[in-house]
Amino acid sequence: MKLAKDVLMGRDKILRGIENLGFKSVGPVESPILSMYNQEIDIATFAITMRAMGWHFHLQRSVKKYSIPPNIHLTILPIHKMMLDEFLADAQKAVNIAKDQKILDHLLNQPLDKIFTDIKEGKIDSSLAPLILDMLEPELGDEIVKTLVVEMYK
């Protein structure tokens, strides 16, 4: 029972904290899983900045059919109770950076072959790939994914 209480307490504190930073939930919050977006910042810059500070969560692409913007996906565990304040302090720093920097805009001004070479070489965080593909015409995105999969299994 204590672990469940820790999870819910952690979820509620993170939820309130990132809502204070301008994030909104994609849907009703009913579990220890949060999907949050912030249309005032560059979500990719936020995610990459947080990763550089040691935090890891999933970056999810938009789902236009359901009006879901790109978002971060967090799963809260009991251990997170110990690091809530540090997470929220780092999130504040990342939001400040993501208000001014736009990683995706910068990337999309480069040739696609350079973008994917940089991803392959680890110069660009691979978690950005779904968001990059999301910004392309669907047919081109599909072709790129097929090419990447073929290249992976050569």
Side-chain angles (χ1 to χ4, degrees):
M1 192 61 117
K2 180 184 177 330
L3 293 177
K5 286 180 182 179
D6 288 350
V7 167
L8 293 177
M9 187 279 300
R11 179 208 58 198
D12 292 345
K13 186 166 182 175
I14 287 177
L15 178 62
R16 282 190 310 274
I18 60 177
E19 283 177 336
N20 288 336
L21 298 175
F23 284 85
K24 295 179 172 77
S25 180
V26 168
V29 177
E30 300 172 340
S31 74
I33 298 171
L34 300 173
S35 292
M36 307 294 292
Y37 69 96
N38 184 335
Q39 294 182 314
E40 303 299 317
I41 64 169
D42 182 70
I43 198 81
T45 300
F46 176 81
I48 296 304
T49 303
M50 289 294 283
R51 283 188 190 199
M53 291 187 243
W55 302 104
H56 179 79
F57 44 79
H58 296 284
L59 186 56
Q60 298 184 135
R61 60 187 280 194
S62 65
V63 182
K64 290 177 180 42
K65 179 178 178 180
Y66 299 110
S67 301
I68 298 174
N71 60 86
I72 57 171
H73 186 255
L74 303 105
T75 302
I76 313 301
L77 301 172
I79 195 162
H80 293 134
K81 178 182 176 186
M82 296 185 305
M83 49 193 85
L84 296 171
D85 293 330
E86 182 182 356
F87 176 85
L88 292 172
D90 286 348
Q92 176 66 66
K93 293 174 195 168
V95 163
N96 292 339
I97 291 168
K99 286 179 180 176
D100 298 325
Q101 295 181 18
K102 304 217 180 305
I103 287 176
L104 286 179
D105 289 348
H106 170 73
L107 288 177
L108 292 176
N109 287 323
Q110 299 180 42
L112 283 176
D113 59 335
K114 178 171 178 13
I115 292 171
F116 288 104
T117 297
D118 287 352
I119 289 173
K120 185 177 179 182
E121 294 175 358
K123 296 176 186 173
I124 297 173
D125 193 305
S126 62
S127 69
L128 295 179
L131 296 183
I132 293 168
L133 292 171
D134 201 30
M135 297 178 83
L136 302 173
E137 293 296 322
E139 297 80 22
L140 179 58
D142 290 347
E143 196 56 42
I144 290 170
V145 169
K146 288 175 191 172
T147 301
L148 289 173
V149 170
V150 168
E151 288 294 317
M152 284 174 28
Y153 292 101
K154 273 188 173 179

